[in-house]
Amino acid sequence: MSYVEEVYQNLVAKHPYEPEFLEAAKRVLDSLEPIVSANEELYRKNTLLERLVEPERIITFRVPWVDDNGKQQLNLGYRVQFNSAIGPYKGGLRFHPTVNQSILKFLGFEQIFKNSLTGLPIGGGKGGSDFDPKGKSDAEVMRFCQSFMTELYKYIGKDEDVPAGDIGVGGREIGYLYGQYKRITNLYEGVLTGKGLSFGGSLARTEATGYGLVYITNEMVKGAGKSLEGKTVVISGSGNVAQYACQKAQQLGAKVVTVSDSNGYVYDPEGIKLDIVFDIKQAHRGRIKEYAERVPGAEYHEGERPWGVPCDIALPCATQNEINGEDAKKLIANGCWCVAEGANMPSDEDAINAYEKARENGFFLYMPAKAVSPHWR
């Protein structure tokens, strides 16, 4: 048994109930096989791969909070501090009912490589809670964030661990979290990214991920002798990444025809009206189905993802494993020749195999999230 296979089998034995993390680890380990096999004795002697795939520490804690009816609620909070070999841990906080330790380990593991590819001294981590901010009042979200930070603050700091936002954690949540951190520590420091401009935030931080995704997609397409001008683009998600990817793609002459959320997607054959998306998602925190109610000719597809819509380019900007093998085959069959990932590992292994087969059989471009992220950081 090779060293790579041995390490992976030991991971499976240790963490049999963490499928998301095991999937991410397998992909990375498989990609390292040629390098490791050339230096196997040295790597094995120093247990390099074992240290790579296990986080330095995981903090798990309870988050009690009170809802607007005065009822006590309880959620779980996590911070996976995966690797600080080259700098402080850096990675987002995710508030979503699906959050668990396996998903956060998978995301934190990915973050190590994304951050190192920037060339900056940044480590990798991830955190969050199974709290769902959807449908909660501002006051409920504030109370939850304050309780969450009351525990998390012990483990973060500008030179130790610098969280950011992710799914369910936008400017509102970052503001509440930072306010509580400052209240407890009496420190006004760069411990959270994604803050408002009035209290230490960065210009264009909100747009950065979506813009960066489209910038690097544009360069990839130009390198292949093509252009974004006049191309049909399918985007998943309707948060910051999707919104600003849509905006920049439209500015470069592409026609974006879909956006989505966890309930379904909307298809607008005339091109997404971004001002309406901004109004729904930013001004009113609504659901994307409202778009079809407001725009004549737009279609809403409940419980579906947009990968069956004919397009030239697909930009998955929602969540992990949102494109499976069958989805990828539908995309390719419907004319898609380029996939660039704005979300964390949105294509599963079967989807990537489909991309590779399409590239072998003709022209196909694929830009994984690890390569996309350093471009906007």
Side-chain angles (χ1 to χ4, degrees), residues 4-319:
V4 165
E5 182 62 24
E6 180 183 317
V7 169
Y8 178 69
Q9 291 304 324
N10 286 338
L11 270 184
V12 172
K14 286 180 182 178
H15 310 292
Y17 304 113
E18 298 184 354
E20 296 87 359
F21 170 61
L22 291 173
E23 178 189 359
K26 185 175 189 305
R27 287 203 217 171
V28 171
L29 289 171
D30 285 349
S31 71
L32 292 174
E33 177 75 57
I35 299 169
V36 174
S37 61
N39 302 275
E40 186 163 315
E41 184 178 342
L42 176 65
Y43 290 162
R44 189 189 290 271
K45 176 184 175 182
N46 291 284
T47 63
L48 187 142
L49 293 183
E50 289 90 341
R51 287 184 285 140
L52 177 69
V53 297
E54 291 289 357
E56 291 175 10
R57 66 183 64 86
I58 300 173
I59 300 105
T60 305
F61 51 95
R62 66 185 182 188
V63 187
W65 58 282
V66 180
D67 67 22
D68 287 344
N69 296 317
K71 184 179 179 182
Q72 291 282 346
Q73 302 288 344
L74 187 73
N75 288 94
L76 290 177
Y78 306 88
R79 187 65 179 172
V80 177
Q81 296 178 329
F82 218 111
N83 194 301
S84 62
I86 63 172
Y89 309 104
K90 183 79 185 77
L93 297 171
R94 175 176 293 191
F95 293 169
H96 194 272
T98 60
V99 164
N100 58 39
Q101 183 169 292
S102 175
I103 287 174
L104 294 178
K105 283 175 68 177
F106 142 63
L107 293 168
F109 189 55
E110 281 279 290
Q111 204 73 42
I112 300 168
F113 305 103
K114 289 182 178 182
N115 291 350
S116 64
L117 284 169
T118 66
L120 299 171
I122 309 172
K126 208 75 177 181
S129 173
D130 57 358
F131 172 78
D132 188 359
K134 187 167 55 181
K136 305 292 192 303
S137 71
D138 287 349
E140 287 175 323
V141 173
M142 180 182 71
R143 288 193 290 269
F144 171 82
C145 288
Q146 290 173 338
S147 181
F148 183 87
M149 183 54 77
T150 299
E151 184 65 27
L152 183 66
Y153 91 94
K154 306 168 188 175
Y155 310 103
I156 63 175
K158 64 183 177 64
D159 297 316
E160 180 181 357
D161 186 350
V162 183
D166 194 271
I167 294 172
V169 180
R172 173 183 62 169
E173 288 77 15
I174 291 291
Y176 294 150
L177 291 165
Y178 187 65
Q180 185 71 354
Y181 178 85
K182 190 167 73 70
R183 172 189 290 168
I184 294 171
T185 64
N186 203 31
L187 295 172
Y188 193 90
E189 62 182 19
V191 72
L192 284 163
T193 55
K195 300 186 293 296
L197 293 179
S198 60
F199 55 102
S202 302
L203 283 169
R205 176 63 182 85
T206 305
E207 298 90 344
T209 312
Y211 278 15
L213 167 62
V214 177
Y215 286 146
I216 198 167
T217 302
N218 189 45
E219 292 302 313
M220 176 171 62
V221 168
K222 281 165 53 179
K226 292 180 177 286
S227 168
L228 283 182
E229 181 78 31
K231 301 301 185 294
T232 300
V233 178
V234 164
I235 290 178
S236 65
S238 53
N240 280 347
V241 182
Q243 290 172 25
Y244 291 105
C246 180
Q247 185 179 69
K248 186 54 65 176
Q250 290 176 344
Q251 290 173 358
L252 294 177
K255 182 169 75 168
V256 179
V257 295
T258 69
V259 286
S260 70
D261 61 20
S262 57
N263 296 122
Y265 77 90
V266 291
Y267 168 61
D268 187 344
E270 300 301 315
I272 292 296
K273 281 69 175 175
L274 198 53
D275 58 332
I276 295 177
V277 175
F278 283 155
D279 184 63
I280 292 169
K281 303 303 291 187
Q282 294 187 14
H284 298 104
R285 300 184 184 276
R287 306 304 292 166
I288 204 62
K289 68 179 180 180
E290 296 173 30
Y291 183 96
E293 297 166 1
R294 295 169 60 173
V295 178
E299 304 169 4
Y300 175 64
H301 298 263
E302 178 80 23
E304 297 182 31
R305 293 170 176 166
W307 312 125
V309 175
C311 65
D312 301 295
I313 298 167
L315 304 178
C317 297
T319 190

